[in-house]
Amino acid sequence: MDLEEAKEFRERCTQCDAVSWGLTDEGKYYCTSCHNVTERSREVISTEAIPNTKIQAINRGLKRKRKLEKGWDWYVCEGFQHILCQQAEALKTLGVGPELKNEVLHNFWKRYLQKSKQAYCKKPVYTNRRKAMVLEENPSQSDWDSAPELLSDFSGPTFVESGAESQPDDHIRKPFPISKASQSETVSVCSGSLDGVEYSLRKEKGVVKMTVPSTLAFCYLALLWQRETITLSDLLRFVEEDHIPYINAFQHFPEEMKLYGRDKGIFAVESWPNYEDIHKKMIEVATFLDLPRFPDITEDCYLHPNILCMKYLMEVNLPDEMHSFTCQVVKMAGIGEVDFLTFDPIAKMAKTVKYDVQAIAVIVIVLKLLFLLDDSLEWSLSTIAEKYNEENKEDKPWFDFRKWYQVMKKSFDDKKQKWEEARAK
């Protein structure tokens, strides 16, 4: 505010009839006596009258307004990149190391863009409808260990925000060069993205089409590569608990990314992810990307059945002594071997172990070996255990299957009710 600059304004205040004016930060006149602000603003002839900070703020405001009205020029794959960034940040908040986002997931995504001919190739599908030729003769070995450039000059969040610059690559062109002429021709009234309509209709044999559930497949692949302490069921639970963006993840897009029409059919999800679907997509994505054999799942790895069995035994309040039996079952069945547990997408029959499901199955097998679970023997043994515990209160109690079942069933029913209520909301 500057009283000297307002002296030229000589009208009387409509509130107090005084002639004493100042200037607000927005350039409007206000009365210094009663603080009444008028709708009149000072006409700026010279920019010297306004500090540089004010000029910059006004310019930013004008540019932002114009950009919001038109929106950014963006492609569907950039929307999926934004969702992956959100999910990677959420996993980082949950305790996963930053290298999962900046290195593993980043390289998986770059590899997908190249294999699907959307970027990192001579003729991306967006700039030329003819088949694009991947630069490298063997795309499965393309600069796997390098730090590639990011998707495009899209100004939204990127996978690498730490300030480290990507290694330059003279062969990699900007994936989406858009001329002013092509913009007007490409933008469709049926979608906010440049290729929403085309993407929803595209069906190319041998190419894995990206969907919102596929983002979870990418995340789980990155978690598996890092051998993180998160199973697929954990990942889906975090999604349902809203720790990881999934349902309506597009609502977190920048304001400038206008989304409507066909875009909502691509990015809007109306149901929670299904375990089998995500597991199947994970194998499909890994095979499409020609990923090499994943790091070995050894006995000291969290995903090894011996470790997962101990974790689940503790979570469901079963005796610790059962762990020795689960270890024996794992050894006899050969499901604890490195080659069996390690995911190898380029094998003849690409498959991966459902680590969490396998561990639960081992526990059920041990329970069946011990109690038969024929709806008769377990109750008979429970009666014997109950009688023993009453007569020998000072000794270590025997495991009472009936008591355990009743406690766990009540806890399970309560959790299930809360879960259903949360889903209904």
Side-chain angles (χ1 to χ4, degrees):
M1 295 178 288
D2 195 334
L3 297 176
E4 292 295 324
E5 295 175 355
K7 283 184 178 180
E8 61 187 38
F9 189 64
R10 305 304 301 169
E11 292 184 12
R12 291 186 178 275
C13 176
T14 57
Q15 297 290 337
C16 65
D17 209 38
V19 184
S20 179
W21 299 98
L23 279 174
T24 65
D25 289 339
E26 291 78 22
K28 292 184 178 181
Y29 292 103
Y30 79 100
C31 179
T32 58
S33 299
C34 65
H35 299 287
N36 173 42
V37 180
T38 69
E39 292 299 318
R40 294 284 299 276
S41 58
R42 181 171 181 265
E43 183 179 354
V44 180
I45 300 175
S46 173
T47 56
E48 295 177 359
I50 302 178
N52 290 335
T53 54
K54 290 183 181 178
I55 295 174
Q56 293 170 0
I58 292 170
N59 288 339
R60 283 198 302 270
L62 292 174
K63 289 179 180 178
R64 178 175 175 81
K65 186 175 180 181
R66 294 193 194 104
K67 184 175 281 188
L68 280 172
E69 289 173 355
K70 182 180 181 296
W72 281 334
D73 291 320
W74 62 283
Y75 290 90
V76 169
C77 61
E78 291 180 296
F80 285 120
Q81 174 172 303
H82 199 282
I83 293 176
L84 282 169
C85 285
Q86 295 177 55
Q87 293 173 341
E89 282 297 324
L91 288 169
K92 185 178 176 182
T93 303
L94 292 169
V96 174
E99 59 275 5
L100 179 131
K101 172 187 175 184
N102 298 338
E103 298 174 13
V104 183
L105 191 56
H106 180 196
N107 276 307
F108 284 177
W109 181 239
K110 180 211 168 181
R111 199 175 183 87
Y112 172 78
L113 293 176
Q114 184 187 48
K115 294 280 289 183
S116 59
K117 318 292 193 305
Q118 297 182 69
Y120 301 101
C121 55
K122 289 182 179 179
K123 297 177 181 178
V125 291
Y126 299 109
T127 56
N128 194 321
R129 294 184 180 274
R130 291 178 299 176
K131 292 284 184 180
M133 293 174 57
V134 178
L135 287 177
E136 290 76 12
E137 292 181 2
N138 187 356
S140 64
Q141 302 297 328
S142 60
D143 62 343
W144 177 249
D145 296 322
S146 67
E149 292 182 8
L150 293 174
L151 178 61
S152 69
D153 30 8
F154 168 55
S155 52
T158 57
F159 277 109
V160 180
E161 300 173 345
S162 59
E165 296 183 359
S166 301
Q167 294 179 6
D169 190 339
D170 296 334
H171 297 288
I172 297 177
R173 301 182 182 182
K174 287 294 182 183
F176 308 125
I178 309 169
S179 64
K180 291 183 178 179
S182 65
Q183 287 180 13
S184 60
E185 295 170 2
T186 310
V187 176
S188 170
V189 294
C190 298
S191 66
S193 61
L194 295 175
D195 63 328
V197 176
E198 179 188 350
Y199 188 88
S200 61
L201 298 175
R202 186 183 306 144
K203 292 181 180 179
E204 188 174 351
K205 188 176 181 181
V207 175
V208 174
K209 193 173 182 178
M210 194 68 184
T211 61
V212 176
S214 298
T215 61
L216 295 181
F218 269 90
C219 288
Y220 184 60
L221 279 172
L223 290 168
L224 185 57
W225 184 275
Q226 290 293 102
R227 296 183 293 182
E228 292 285 349
T229 58
I230 296 179
T231 61
L232 180 54
S233 57
D234 291 329
L235 180 66
L236 301 187
R237 176 168 56 85
F238 291 145
V239 168
E240 293 199 14
E241 292 174 354
D242 206 25
H243 296 305
I244 297 176
Y246 183 78
I247 298 288
N248 298 327
F250 64 87
Q251 292 180 351
H252 301 286
F253 284 4
E255 292 180 81
E256 294 86 352
M257 287 180 67
K258 301 295 184 180
L259 184 142
Y260 53 85
R262 292 293 183 94
D263 296 330
K264 289 191 176 180
I266 297 170
F267 293 104
V269 179
E270 297 180 354
S271 60
W272 295 105
N274 176 273
Y275 186 103
E276 290 294 333
D277 290 344
I278 303 301
H279 186 266
K280 182 179 178 181
K281 286 183 182 298
M282 185 266 287
I283 298 176
E284 186 180 15
V285 169
T287 305
F288 174 69
L289 298 182
D290 288 328
L291 296 180
R293 178 184 167 104
F294 277 47
D296 290 345
I297 304 297
T298 55
E299 289 188 8
D300 59 347
C301 179
Y302 175 82
L303 297 175
H304 194 277
N306 289 344
I307 296 178
L308 281 178
C309 283
M310 173 58 79
K311 174 180 181 289
Y312 294 144
L313 286 172
M314 294 173 63
E315 287 184 353
V316 297
N317 293 319
L318 284 170
D320 293 342
E321 291 79 4
M322 283 184 59
H323 188 242
S324 62
F325 293 101
T326 60
C327 290
Q328 291 181 49
V329 170
V330 168
K331 185 176 181 180
M332 292 176 65
I335 58 176
E337 301 297 326
V338 172
D339 289 339
F340 177 83
L341 294 171
T342 303
F343 182 37
D344 189 359
I346 59 176
K348 290 185 178 179
M349 292 293 291
K351 62 181 180 63
T352 182
V353 176
K354 300 173 182 176
Y355 302 98
D356 40 10
V357 175
Q358 176 184 260
I360 294 296
V362 170
I363 292 174
V364 172
I365 291 171
V366 170
L367 283 172
K368 194 164 182 65
L369 289 172
L370 295 175
F371 300 99
L372 195 58
L373 302 183
D374 62 349
D375 202 28
S376 175
L377 181 62
E378 63 266 34
W379 309 126
S380 300
L381 294 175
S382 297
T383 302
I384 297 173
E386 184 179 359
K387 183 178 179 180
Y388 174 85
N389 293 335
E390 289 179 358
E391 296 176 352
N392 302 273
K393 294 183 178 181
E394 295 182 0
D395 295 341
K396 184 177 180 179
W398 287 2
F399 176 70
D400 187 339
F401 186 90
R402 181 186 290 109
K403 185 177 180 180
W404 171 81
Y405 175 80
Q406 292 171 347
V407 172
M408 291 303 300
K409 187 176 187 306
K410 185 179 183 305
S411 177
F412 177 80
D413 290 343
D414 291 342
K415 289 283 186 181
K416 184 179 180 181
Q417 183 179 353
K418 292 179 180 178
W419 176 73
E420 290 176 346
E421 290 174 354
R423 271 202 165 194
K425 292 179 181 179

